[in-house]
Each structure stands twice: as C-alpha cells, then as structure tokens.
Amino acid sequence: MSAHKMQPSFPSLFIDNFLRAYYNVRDMKRFFTSESVTEGHPDKVCDNIADAILDGLLKEDPQTRAAVECCAAYNTLFLTGEVTSRAHVDYEQVARRVIREIGYDAGDFAYDKCRVITLIHGQSPDIALGVDASAEMKAGGEGYDMIGAGDQGMMFGYACRETEELMPLPIMLAHKLAARLTEVRKNGTLSYLRPDGKTQVTVEYDGRTPVRVDTVVVSTQHAEDVSQEKIAADMKKYVIGAVIPAQLLDEKTKYFINPTGKFVIGGPEGDSGLTGRKIVVDTYGGRCPHGGGAFSGKDATKVDRSAAYLARYICKNLVAAGIADEVELQLAYAIGVARPVSVFVETYGTGKLADDAIADIVQKEFDLRPAAIIETLDLRKPVFRKTAAYGHFGRDAFAWERTDKADLLKKYL
C-alpha cells in the first residue's frame, strides 16, 4: 500500500482529534446544566392529560392505538390526535379531572371553568397498514414480526454511573427539586405555592466525576401576598436543603430563586402549553441526544416512545453489568418495518469491549422489534400517566428501569 493511501482521511482525522480532546477532559474542570419543571407547568399539564387519556383507553382496550395531543392557552384546552380503540372514554371528563388533581382549582384555567375543545379522530389507514402487518410479516415472517414500526425515526438511550439510578446527576437533581416543589405545595408545608414551577441545576465536574453543585435555579408560582424573602428562605430550607446532599453545596454555590422577583400568573394563563414540548426534560437533560419524537399520548406501537424506553433499558443493563461506565445507544426504524435499520453504540472510551462488539451484543441479547418491546416492557398496561412529569427515566416504578439482564450480560466480560 502506498504512503499516500495510508494517510487518514479528513473525517478520520477530525474524529480522532475530537475524541482525543473529549477524553482529555478527565483533567479539566467542566460544568453541565439540566432543567426540570413541575406537573403544573403548562407543557406538563398537556403531557399529563394526554397520558391520562391514553391510560383510560388502555384500561378498557389494551390494543388501543393512540397519539393524543393537547394544547392549553389562557382559558382553553384543545384536544386533538388520532385514536383507534374499542374503549369509550370521556376525553373532556378525563382532562378536567387531571387539571383538578394538578391543582388548578381557581382562575380562568380552573378545572370547572376552562373551555375544552375536542377534535380526535381515528388512526390514518395508511399508517395502520404498516403497523398491522410489518414488511417482514408480509414477506413470510412470524411471531414478533407481526407489528411494524409506527413511524420512521431514531431513538436514543443512555446510562452512566454518576448516580444510583445510573442517570446524569444534573437532571436527577433538577427532577427531585421539581417533585419536591409539588410535594410541599400539596402537603401544606408551603401552602402559598401554586402549581407552576421550574428548576435548574449546574454541576461542576472534575473530568468525568461530579464534585459539587455550582448553581441552583428555582422559579415557583406563588400567592400574591407572600414576600420574595420568605420564598427564598423556604426554598433553601424545604426544597433545596431537602434534595441536594449537603456535601455537594458550598459557600460558592449560587442560588437564583424567582429571579424576576415575582411569579403570580402561571400555568396556561401565563404561557401556552403543548404536549411533547419538554422532550429534553423527559429524557436525560441534554446529556444524550434526542431523536425528536415526543412520548406522551402515544401508545407503544409508536417507537418514538417504546424504542426509547427499550434503549434506556438496554443501556442501564449494560452499565449495571460492568460492560461500560457510560453508554449511549441509538436505534433507528423505518415505518412499517419491524427490525431497526441501524444500531449504534458509543461508550466514550469507558467500554470494556469495543463499541461495535457491544452493538453486536445488543442485537443478539435484546429483541428490538416493536411487538417484542411491548411484551418485554409490558407496555399494553395503563402505566403512562406516571411518566408525564419528573422524567421518564431514573425512577424504579417503570419496567424499563429494571436491571434483570445485567447478570446475563456479564458473560461477555
């Protein structure tokens, strides 16, 4: 081979230099930020309603096909999307129940006062063609070939060793802060709080190791007659102090609590809400890419949702097995085709095996077809409302958080 042919290509040089720079960060100080929102945030109101409708449908008919969308603005909720089901669900009644449970019992968006407009129709027969019988089934396949992917697209999964949940620390802290805001509101500890709220956490890293919390941002809706000084003191005592371990906070940690100085008007009265607009909050807080597809309101034949759940399940088991300390997995599908068109693994230099070898293991040990995903994770059950706030990942309540395949995967080490 000539010397000229042995020279690496420009893309190869670029990738080599990028990876070399990336792995050198183990000797650098870095900062990473993630945010979360409460269930009363207008986007999350919509996610909650969409998933509550889906659960209601699945409870009566596990074979339901659904892609429910919600939009909330000021005093109006708009429900739309596609549903094919034998179930009979009063969509408006479900929506009003969810709004009440979240805590909107006063104002123009109150559960008994807001206007609800419904425009939901059956699934497109063109989409149903590919879901009802995959390309593989039409070519003579059987078993799990029965269902084709409900859409094209790419889905990502991720896991790492930063927390006991095998999730990135910034997003886990942001979620726990948001959940705590709701808890102290609903249990009466801070009765002046209102449903809307946002949190954000910046973590300082020494290389790849989280060492301290650099910045905490909390914005919470509140009654008009409470002072910002009291809110700040209560947030530090009852929310931040109850969630973030003391050893991660120091005299240099910065706090921004209701930084605009006032947050009385919230929820859909303050800003419009839309299903699926918090996909980075729903997943890994920006640490891992997102394919673009939203989750809430979609049944498990939509690989936007089910394959993202499976990808998390796979990554978590790979990390739990010790095959890598950090794993990112991409699965990609074509509409109407059961098997993924690509499987990509990245371990950022932490893998005990080569990334392509791990990708081979994934395809050997996990069935990636939609029908198999549904069975593996038991996704015909009405379990989706619980995912609609505080993250779809990192909580033991969900089947995709199990590490029951870790022992089997250890045989590859």
Side-chain angles (χ1 to χ4, degrees):
M1 180 179 293
S2 70
H4 174 73
K5 289 184 178 180
M6 292 179 66
Q7 293 296 319
S9 65
F10 172 76
S12 176
L13 281 171
F14 177 81
I15 292 170
D16 287 346
N17 289 335
F18 173 81
L19 291 176
R20 188 175 298 111
Y22 185 93
Y23 296 131
N24 282 341
V25 300
R26 60 174 55 92
D27 301 318
M28 295 169 55
K29 181 186 293 187
R30 298 185 301 155
F31 298 86
F32 195 89
T33 302
S34 294
E35 70 161 345
S36 185
V37 298
T38 67
E39 63 193 46
H41 184 282
D43 293 332
K44 281 296 159 194
V45 171
C46 292
D47 285 345
N48 267 274
I49 292 169
D51 275 334
I53 290 173
L54 174 61
D55 278 358
L57 293 164
L58 290 171
K59 187 174 181 179
E60 290 187 31
D61 179 10
Q63 302 301 315
T64 289
R65 303 268 180 83
V68 179
E69 306 279 350
C70 305
C71 179
Y74 190 57
N75 66 348
T76 302
L77 176 71
F78 182 56
L79 306 177
T80 187
E82 302 81 44
V83 170
T84 298
S85 178
R86 297 189 302 271
H88 299 283
V89 171
D90 186 327
Y91 302 133
E92 179 176 340
Q93 184 180 59
V94 171
R96 292 189 186 279
R97 170 175 59 81
V98 171
I99 294 169
R100 184 184 71 246
E101 290 172 354
I102 289 173
Y104 286 108
D105 53 10
D108 289 316
F109 194 74
Y111 71 93
D112 57 350
K113 188 176 180 181
C114 66
R115 179 176 57 159
V116 178
I117 301 170
T118 302
L119 183 60
I120 295 176
H121 56 84
Q123 185 180 52
S124 161
D126 293 346
I127 295 175
L129 281 173
V131 179
D132 292 338
S134 70
E136 293 93 331
M137 184 65 77
K138 293 170 184 175
E142 58 184 5
Y144 289 137
D145 285 333
M146 67 181 79
I147 296 177
D151 203 351
Q152 71 177 45
M154 58 281 190
M155 299 83 210
F156 288 88
Y158 182 83
C160 65
R161 292 199 177 278
E162 286 183 24
T163 63
E164 63 181 14
E165 298 91 354
L166 302 186
M167 286 282 288
L169 181 61
I171 188 63
M172 288 307 301
L173 291 178
H175 281 325
K176 290 176 180 179
L177 288 172
R180 179 66 176 167
L181 271 177
T182 297
E183 181 184 359
V184 296
R185 170 175 62 89
K186 288 187 170 182
N187 69 19
T189 300
L190 300 178
S191 58
Y192 62 80
L193 295 184
R194 298 296 181 260
D196 199 354
K198 303 180 77 171
T199 62
Q200 185 171 288
V201 178
T202 301
V203 173
E204 179 183 329
Y205 287 78
D206 182 3
R208 305 178 74 82
T209 304
V211 292
R212 59 181 291 273
V213 169
D214 182 75
T215 307
V216 181
V217 182
V218 177
S219 295
T220 181
Q221 187 186 9
H222 57 86
E224 183 131 28
D225 59 354
V226 61
S227 71
Q228 293 301 314
E229 291 76 17
K230 178 172 177 53
I231 294 172
D234 286 346
M235 289 301 102
K236 288 182 179 180
K237 178 178 179 180
Y238 294 106
V239 178
I240 298 169
V243 168
I244 301 181
Q247 64 269 25
L248 292 178
L249 301 171
D250 57 31
E251 68 281 358
K252 294 183 179 180
T253 300
K254 298 178 285 293
Y255 301 92
F256 295 96
I257 298 171
N258 282 10
T260 65
K262 185 179 180 181
F263 188 179
V264 173
I265 301 171
E269 289 187 62
D271 193 6
S272 62
L274 189 66
T275 301
R277 196 158 57 181
K278 286 291 178 285
I279 55 177
V280 173
V281 169
D282 286 342
T283 52
Y284 306 100
R287 180 66 66 83
C288 171
H290 193 291
F295 297 157
S296 290
K298 296 178 180 177
D299 75 275
T301 64
K302 314 294 190 298
V303 286
D304 284 347
R305 183 170 215 166
S306 56
Y309 289 174
L310 184 75
R312 163 63 177 169
Y313 175 64
I314 293 170
C315 289
K316 190 170 182 182
N317 276 274
L318 289 169
V319 171
I323 289 176
D325 291 333
E326 181 179 9
V327 180
E328 176 189 306
L329 170 66
Q330 185 203 62
L331 305 174
Y333 290 84
I335 188 169
V337 180
R339 298 179 185 276
V341 298
S342 72
V343 175
F344 173 83
V345 169
E346 174 63 76
T347 63
Y348 299 99
T350 71
K352 307 302 186 294
L353 305 169
D355 289 352
D356 57 348
I358 298 174
D360 290 340
I361 292 170
V362 167
Q363 294 174 83
K364 181 178 180 180
E365 298 294 345
F366 297 89
D367 196 321
L368 308 177
R369 293 171 290 180
I373 297 172
I374 290 169
E375 181 172 307
T376 298
L377 301 180
D378 207 8
L379 296 179
R380 294 289 189 192
K381 292 184 176 179
V383 299
F384 297 105
R385 167 95 192 269
K386 290 184 290 187
T387 69
Y390 317 118
H392 292 243
F393 308 124
R395 293 189 284 157
D396 290 339
F398 308 132
W400 48 92
E401 293 296 317
R402 300 189 313 248
T403 54
D404 54 335
K405 296 272 281 186
D407 285 344
L408 180 149
L409 294 172
K410 289 178 181 177
K411 67 184 180 184
Y412 292 100
L413 292 173

